[in-house]
Amino acid sequence: MSRRPYLASRLQGFGTTIFAEMSALAAQTGALNLGQGYPDADGPDEVKQAAIDAIFAGVNQYSPGPGTMDLRKAVAEHQRRFYDFDLDPNDEVLVTAGATEALAASFLGLCETGDEVVAFDPTYDSYGAGIAMAGAVLKTVPLLPQSDGTFGFDDDELRRAFSPKTRLLMLNTPHNPTGKVFTPSELQLLAELCQEHDVIAIVDEVYEHMVFSGTHVPLACLPGMFERTVTISSAGKTFSFTGWKVGWATGPAPILSAIRTAKQFLTFVNGAPFQPAVAVGLRLPNDYFNSLGVEMEAKKTLLCEKLDKAGFDVLEPEGTYFATADISPVSKKKSVEFCMALPEEAGVVAVPCSVFYQDERMGDHHIRFCFAKSDAFLAEAGDRLIAAYG
Ligand code: PMP
Ligand code: GLN
């Protein structure tokens, strides 16, 4: 046995992801799993059928490096339909193994060792790990709960985070875990800072079609931003096929080419028969995309009302399929301890928000629930929480 630790030092601190850990706890205890973010129902039948047809039509070998041309065209059509910007499917769209690979390839393809990446704290868990794998440094600006129940940040603190070392801004809107949808004026400030400091923006928009208040505006749409912005999304969230791992990045050709260079040596390509199916999904009528948001909003209301009755202070999300609850009114425990005991105390699984923060204390009183579940499941989970704490 080697005397050296097996895990490379740059990955120290990134053990098993909290999502896998919490789903294992749910499986072990039989508790209702509102932890890991995935829907409990599959997406549209026509999208599923297209994947089955593709398998039987023999679309089972490597797809082209940047993704099939038809899917790249469908991504470009989607961006034109919803955000009114034009993309060349030849070199401004890249298909990836989920948003996760687009993110990792962006960090690996664009950062030198020691480059800084500015992001808001809390961050989705793969950002810190991907940035560490690239030898870059995560520099965070806190998002703090405001008196109106939304999350905000201090403009000066954001300005101070940018420096000559900053290579990337890593933005996520709608934001996991807080549910924040960044406002036009916040995006304007971010755009100004990126331009002033010659920074590339990577924007994770996987929850783009789940917005309940405000409007989702891609940073790439702001003046002067397309040429320095990479926009990332995924079929996992928009079509409820998280297991297919088909995502995409769009942006200017020279930046995408750097990302593609890294992507080639991560997966090379993935999901050949799923790619034509996702193209079918992206071409569904507006109704599909609108109903996704409307259905999620009704689920948000259902769960948040139950959480409120159970005695939590609920921070209602503006987007995503996650709601955050402050546990202070019902427990003196810290969020990790609270979530570890939750399956036994209430038969429910949630995720402690401290795991999303660089400054762990910040999420000590907050826990995250996923509401992309059937109404009956949410009602049952909510009633169990009311019985345990209400
Ligand atoms: N970004 C965010 C903010 C997420 O919540 C997730 C989880 N779906 C991902 C990226 C990863 O997406 P994918 O499963 O497509 O890799
Ligand atoms: N994005 C999902 C979440 O935030 C989980 C994805 C994963 O397990 N890696 O819960």
Side-chain angles (χ1 to χ4, degrees):
M1 203 166 135
S2 169
R3 269 174 283 123
R4 284 178 51 182
Y6 291 115
L7 187 65
S9 57
R10 57 184 189 286
L11 283 177
Q12 293 291 339
F14 299 100
T16 309
T17 83
I18 186 68
F19 309 121
E21 204 174 313
M22 286 300 170
S23 285
L25 189 63
Q28 201 183 309
T29 58
L32 301 178
N33 190 358
L34 301 187
Q36 191 175 28
Y38 64 88
D40 65 355
D42 288 346
D45 278 353
E46 56 266 60
V47 177
K48 271 191 196 174
Q49 191 60 51
I52 292 166
D53 292 347
I55 290 174
F56 282 100
V59 186
N60 297 304
Q61 310 308 328
Y62 297 128
S63 45
T68 63
M69 181 45 98
D70 190 52
L71 176 53
R72 283 184 274 151
K73 280 187 182 155
V75 170
E77 288 163 24
H78 172 277
Q79 297 304 88
R80 159 141 283 290
R81 170 159 49 138
F82 289 100
Y83 309 118
D84 206 21
F85 64 86
D86 283 319
L87 292 165
D88 182 345
N90 284 301
D91 50 12
E92 293 180 335
V93 181
L94 175 65
V95 176
T96 55
T100 307
E101 187 192 37
L103 291 160
S106 301
F107 303 133
L108 291 164
L110 297 169
C111 290
E112 299 292 348
T113 306
D115 278 354
E116 290 185 357
V117 181
V118 172
F120 290 100
D121 201 22
T123 53
Y124 176 59
D125 73 336
S126 85
Y127 304 166
I131 290 165
M133 286 193 269
V137 179
L138 174 60
K139 188 119 196 189
T140 54
V141 176
L143 280 181
L144 300 168
Q146 311 290 295
S147 52
D148 65 358
T150 64
F151 282 79
F153 59 89
D154 181 76
D155 289 3
D156 289 331
E157 211 163 344
L158 177 68
R159 282 196 185 89
R160 281 197 299 275
F162 281 77
S163 79
K165 287 193 193 156
T166 312
R167 174 62 165 164
L168 304 178
L169 163 71
M170 178 66 242
L171 178 67
N172 174 211
T173 183
H175 183 265
N176 179 6
T178 64
K180 176 178 173 59
V181 174
F182 282 75
T183 65
S185 64
E186 290 169 335
L187 294 174
Q188 184 54 43
L189 174 60
L190 289 164
E192 281 164 24
L193 288 167
C194 287
Q195 291 177 45
E196 185 184 326
H197 294 272
D198 191 20
V199 161
I200 299 168
I202 309 293
V203 193
D204 177 344
E205 303 187 358
V206 297
Y207 300 102
E208 62 187 313
H209 291 293
M210 292 168 211
V211 175
F212 324 124
S213 87
T215 310
H216 170 64
V217 179
L219 188 64
C221 291
L222 272 70
M225 285 309 286
F226 177 76
E227 65 218 55
R228 55 174 71 250
T229 302
V230 177
T231 304
I232 292 173
S233 198
S234 165
K237 305 289 148 169
T238 299
F239 303 112
S240 298
F241 292 118
T242 59
W244 288 10
K245 296 299 286 191
V246 175
W248 50 90
T250 61
I255 301 182
L256 277 202
S257 163
I259 296 172
R260 195 178 64 233
T261 303
K263 182 253 180 318
Q264 293 177 113
F265 304 109
L266 292 172
T267 57
F268 178 47
V269 293
N270 79 301
F274 298 123
Q275 293 194 22
V278 172
V280 168
L282 285 165
R283 291 184 175 122
L284 286 171
N286 287 351
D287 266 5
Y288 169 77
F289 298 90
N290 295 338
S291 332
L292 181 67
V294 170
E295 279 165 26
M296 265 333 150
E297 184 167 12
K299 292 181 185 303
K300 176 205 74 165
T301 306
L302 195 171
L303 179 70
C304 289
E305 278 174 10
K306 297 275 185 194
L307 293 177
D308 186 57
K309 278 201 191 124
F312 297 100
D313 274 343
V314 186
L315 291 142
E316 279 210 25
E318 299 165 297
T320 76
Y321 49 46
F322 303 111
T324 299
D326 187 331
I327 56 175
S328 322
V330 304
S331 173
K332 295 214 175 343
K333 286 186 189 142
K334 291 187 175 167
S335 57
V336 171
E337 232 185 309
F338 186 84
C339 286
M340 293 314 282
L342 196 56
E344 189 148 320
E345 281 182 12
V348 172
V349 165
V351 168
C353 288
S354 51
V355 300
F356 297 105
Y357 284 89
Q358 296 305 300
D359 179 351
E360 283 189 16
R361 286 163 308 174
M362 296 289 300
D364 265 354
H365 302 293
H366 287 158
I367 64 175
R368 190 196 78 174
F369 294 94
C370 170
F371 52 79
K373 309 290 174 190
S374 74
D375 291 355
F377 191 95
L378 290 174
E380 171 64 23
D383 289 340
R384 288 186 187 187
L385 290 165
I386 295 168
Y389 306 106

